[in-house]
Amino acid sequence: MTSVTGVSTADNSPAAPGPSPLSGDGASTGRLGDRLFGGAARGAGLLVIVLVVLIATFLLSQAVPAIAHDKANFLTSTDWNVDGDTLRFGIANLLWVTVISSVIALLIAVPLGVGVALFITQYSPRWLARPAASLVDLLAAVPSIVYGLWGLWVFGAHLSGIQHVLQDALGWFPLFSDTTVSEGGTIFVVGVVLAIMVLPIVTAISREVFAQTPVTHKEAALALGATRWEMIRTTVLPFGRPGVISASMLALGRALGETVAVLIILSALSGGTAWSWSIFNGGETFASKIANNAAEFDTPQKAGAFIAAGLVLFVLTFVVNAIARIVIERRKAFTE
């Protein structure tokens, strides 16, 4: 406005609110390339969701009729007889072997992977860190069939001594009881081989997370008189805990679904074999059971029984990922 003296004065009236620079489609500039990229990203995300829903729908449509005709308890029975007109099958054995072999793999791979990641990021000199990380990552490039053959013919024989020690010391406990299965084809051997297979996943993700620890946090801990290990324990490990959890769950999903190596190493048990909790026993996982009998899917009901086992593995993987997501979100909320 203008005063009576003719001097212009500032207008203090509030200006009309304009659009926020971050309103609408995020920080999009409105350019054609941005719109195309945003649409492509949104379409890719929706496509993944649609594919997962279609897979789940297929598994349910094929598994439900077979489960409906099952004369045994699907969740608790150890029988598996789908050859005749009467279906009797359960997943108790498959679930136990799948879970316990994956747990063994995690118990070995997670501490070892975290230790390797800490060494590469916190202790090793630069000239050694890059080659060491590359060598560990190369383990992921080895085909599963090579791991299977190596575990069956070479590695399993070297683990026999450890199995004997565990049986002699802890054989009174059902988990380590003796069985008649050959030493090279036990759940224990499969678990150790799976640990080697998932080690690159744990190491790579943990390494990336530990390397992102703020330098100021580490320098502050050292300035207060902390040793290097105390600095790692108070700054690096807490900062990287969500990443380690993510790496562990991703490795667990990889171990749960491994097929070829488990199929080659693990000794399948004959029908009617008595239940055993021992990790020195044989058996089959969900994936190896389906792969070992894929040629026998000659009737819809028989195929449906195996697809029902695949459905359980599908749900189990989803549950693992959901738990990991919940743990990570709670950890983030706690740290913030």
Side-chain angles (χ1 to χ4, degrees):
M1 65 174 59
T2 304
S3 64
V4 293
T5 60
V7 179
S8 176
T9 59
D11 188 357
N12 295 326
S13 59
S20 172
L22 297 180
S23 62
D25 293 334
S28 174
T29 61
R31 296 177 180 176
L32 178 61
D34 289 338
R35 293 198 302 269
L36 290 177
F37 182 79
R42 190 176 296 107
L46 293 175
L47 178 61
V48 172
I49 296 175
V50 170
L51 289 176
V52 173
V53 172
L54 290 176
I55 293 172
T57 303
F58 167 76
L59 293 175
L60 285 171
S61 64
Q62 299 295 318
V64 170
I67 296 176
H69 291 87
D70 188 10
K71 302 302 181 183
N73 191 305
F74 177 67
L75 296 177
T76 61
S77 176
T78 60
D79 296 334
W80 192 274
N81 184 7
V82 296
D83 292 329
D85 296 332
T86 303
L87 299 179
R88 295 188 60 86
F89 61 93
I91 62 167
N93 269 328
L94 302 178
L95 182 62
W96 168 250
V97 176
T98 301
V99 172
I100 194 61
S101 60
S102 300
V103 169
I104 293 173
L106 283 190
L107 290 177
I108 298 173
V110 172
L112 183 59
V114 171
V116 172
L118 288 175
F119 170 75
I120 293 174
T121 58
Q122 307 298 325
Y123 287 97
S124 68
R126 287 190 175 183
W127 62 266
L128 179 60
R130 188 181 296 273
S134 300
L135 287 175
V136 176
D137 293 341
L138 281 176
L139 290 174
V142 179
S144 297
I145 191 171
V146 174
Y147 278 114
L149 295 174
W150 173 71
L152 178 64
W153 296 107
V154 179
F155 192 57
H158 292 284
L159 290 178
S160 60
I162 299 177
Q163 296 189 49
H164 285 308
V165 170
L166 292 175
Q167 288 175 351
D168 293 340
L170 303 172
W172 53 270
F173 192 66
L175 199 63
F176 303 99
S177 60
D178 192 10
T179 63
T180 59
V181 177
S182 61
E183 296 170 347
T186 63
I187 300 173
F188 176 72
V189 175
V190 169
V192 178
V193 173
L194 287 177
I196 300 173
M197 295 179 69
V198 303
L199 181 62
I201 299 175
V202 180
T203 302
I205 299 178
S206 300
R207 187 177 69 239
E208 294 298 325
V209 175
F210 293 155
Q212 295 176 9
T213 305
V215 178
T216 54
H217 292 184
K218 296 190 292 185
E219 291 178 346
L222 294 174
L224 291 173
T227 63
R228 176 171 293 189
W229 164 241
E230 290 173 338
M231 178 271 293
I232 292 174
R233 182 170 55 85
T234 57
T235 62
V236 178
L237 289 178
F239 181 85
R241 188 174 290 115
V244 173
I245 295 174
S246 299
S248 303
M249 295 299 102
L250 186 61
L252 178 58
R254 172 73 173 86
L256 289 172
E258 175 55 36
T259 305
V260 177
V262 177
L263 180 63
I264 294 174
I265 298 174
L266 193 58
S267 298
L269 302 177
S270 58
T273 304
W275 171 272
S276 175
W277 297 96
S278 177
I279 61 174
F280 303 126
N281 198 20
E284 290 176 294
T285 63
F286 287 112
S288 66
K289 182 74 172 180
I290 296 171
N292 197 31
N293 297 273
E296 302 179 6
F297 296 175
D298 49 3
T299 63
Q301 286 190 344
K302 182 184 292 188
F306 290 97
I307 292 176
L311 176 62
V312 176
L313 180 59
F314 183 81
V315 173
L316 184 62
T317 305
F318 260 79
V319 170
V320 168
N321 290 332
I323 294 175
R325 176 59 60 185
I326 293 173
V327 171
I328 293 171
E329 292 299 330
R330 287 186 176 180
R331 170 57 58 178
K332 288 182 178 179
F334 178 76
T335 55
E336 292 175 358

